[in-house]
């Protein structure tokens, strides 16, 4: 669990580092180009899913990767890594919201309280964020778009994964997302050719192999080893890892407003993701 928290917690600060050498579309496309081969063991020897299921998985790839991950890269490029990390912590909260709407799951008053608390606190985080980016809201808005797209893709993935398994769905959706990223990445390289250097390549391999592929494998192993509530609860430490790394890597100073807002966001996420029953 500690390893997974560190791997996923470092993803946004390292994305910020990789964007210093290459564009957001190129970085995201190369990330999933590195991740797709890691899913080969999942697909080899398995029967091809039905066409309708494959289309559904491709749609998930378009939503979670083409929309969600591209918006995240664009948002990280425009916002400080610390603010981007805290806003991305809304994903589990939004998963609960979409699960209520789509899967008809129950929600309690404490869940609504956590939802309101977290959403209101995001404004405090964005306004009190470190660095010169705090004067603009474009990065924060893109991070919110990313959180919504990724959370919705997770909830929709649950429906398909019930029939075909989460690893298979993740593999095919990642492959579809990687293919859909080729045209915009090619356009970006043609408009402003910025190929990653040694640091950028290391970041791409980290994001593709460790975050997208290895992180999924670790997560699935955790869910078979420890109670789901314990594995999920440990992920609340991810934003703390990301903010600490951002402070060390980019000198992001953590002001009082940012610290209070971050604590309130995480508190709201914890309240919203509490079990429906004791």
């Amino acid at each position: 669990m500690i390893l997974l928290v560190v791997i996923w917690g470092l993803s946004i600060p390292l994305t910020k580092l990789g964007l210093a050498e290459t564009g957001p579309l190129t970085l995201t496309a190369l990330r999933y180009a590195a991740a797709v081969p890691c899913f080969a063991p999942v697909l080899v020897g398995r029967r091809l899913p039905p066409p309708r299921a494959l289309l559904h998985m491709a749609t998930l790839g378009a939503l979670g990767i083409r929309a969600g991950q591209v918006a995240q890269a664009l948002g990280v490029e425009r916002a400080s890594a610390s603010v981007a990390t805290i806003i991305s912590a809304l994903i589990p909260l939004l998963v609960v919201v979409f699960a209520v709407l789509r899967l008809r799951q129950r929600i309690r008053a404490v869940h609504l309280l956590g939802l309101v608390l977290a959403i209101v606190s995001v404004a405090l985080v964005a306004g009190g964020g470190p660095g010169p980016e705090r004067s603009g809201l474009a990065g924060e808005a893109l991070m919110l778009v990313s959180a919504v797209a990724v959370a919705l893709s997770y909830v929709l993935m649950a429906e398909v994964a019930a029939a075909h398994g989460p690893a298979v769905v993740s593999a095919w959706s990642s492959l579809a997302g990687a293919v859909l990223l080729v045209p915009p990445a090619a356009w970006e390289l043609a408009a402003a050719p910025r190929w990653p250097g040694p640091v950028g390549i290391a970041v791409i391999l980290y994001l593709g192999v460790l975050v997208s592929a290895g992180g999924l494998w670790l997560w699935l192993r955790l869910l078979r080893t420890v109670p789901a509530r314990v594995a999920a609860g440990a992920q609340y430490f991810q934003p703390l890892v990301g903010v600490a790394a951002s402070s060390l890597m980019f000198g992001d100073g953590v002001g009082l407003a940012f610290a209070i807002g971050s604590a309130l966001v995480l508190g709201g996420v914890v309240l919203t993701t509490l079990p429906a029953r004791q």
Side-chain angles (χ1 to χ4, degrees):
M1 286 191 295
I2 294 173
L3 178 61
L4 185 61
V5 165
V6 172
I7 287 174
W8 279 351
L10 291 175
S11 62
I12 287 182
L14 288 177
T15 298
K16 186 82 169 179
L17 186 65
L19 289 170
E21 293 190 356
T22 189
L25 301 178
T26 305
L27 180 71
T28 308
L30 292 176
R31 166 186 178 174
Y32 281 92
V36 165
C38 300
F39 289 113
V42 176
L43 301 178
V44 172
R46 290 179 181 265
R47 182 180 299 178
L48 196 68
R52 184 172 181 178
L54 281 175
L55 179 61
H56 200 162
M57 295 176 198
T59 303
L60 292 174
L63 177 62
I65 297 174
R66 174 72 184 269
Q69 296 298 335
V70 167
Q72 183 182 96
L74 291 168
V76 171
E77 185 181 43
R78 291 162 173 78
S80 73
S82 297
V83 170
T85 297
I86 294 300
I87 295 177
S88 70
L90 292 176
I91 290 175
L93 177 150
L94 293 169
V95 166
V96 173
V97 173
F98 289 131
V100 170
L101 297 175
R102 176 75 180 182
L103 306 179
R104 307 299 177 97
Q105 294 186 2
R106 294 177 58 188
I107 190 169
R108 296 163 55 196
V110 68
H111 297 153
L112 292 174
L113 174 63
L115 174 63
V116 173
L117 178 64
I119 291 176
V120 171
S121 302
V122 165
L124 186 61
V125 168
E133 297 92 343
R134 63 176 171 236
S135 59
L137 295 177
E140 287 86 347
L142 284 165
M143 288 303 301
L144 282 173
V145 170
S146 169
V148 170
V150 171
L152 182 57
S153 71
Y154 285 169
V155 172
L156 297 176
M157 185 181 292
E159 301 176 10
V160 191
H164 302 282
V168 172
V169 175
S170 297
W172 283 110
S173 62
S174 295
L175 177 60
V179 171
L180 292 171
L181 285 171
V182 171
W187 170 82
E188 183 180 68
L189 286 171
R194 293 174 58 210
W195 288 99
V199 173
I201 292 173
V203 168
I204 287 166
L205 291 175
Y206 181 93
L207 295 175
V209 177
L210 289 182
V211 174
S212 298
L216 171 66
W217 182 83
L218 276 176
W219 177 249
L220 295 177
R221 293 290 297 179
L222 274 176
L223 293 180
R224 295 172 60 183
T225 308
V226 300
R229 60 179 177 80
V230 177
Q235 303 314 308
Y236 295 136
F237 292 98
Q238 280 185 46
L240 305 181
V241 173
V243 170
S246 300
S247 298
L248 291 174
M249 294 168 63
F250 308 109
D252 286 357
V254 179
L256 181 60
F258 177 81
I260 294 174
S262 300
L264 292 175
V265 169
L266 296 179
V269 171
V270 171
L271 290 176
T272 307
T273 52
L274 286 174
R277 283 184 284 186
Q278 201 72 7

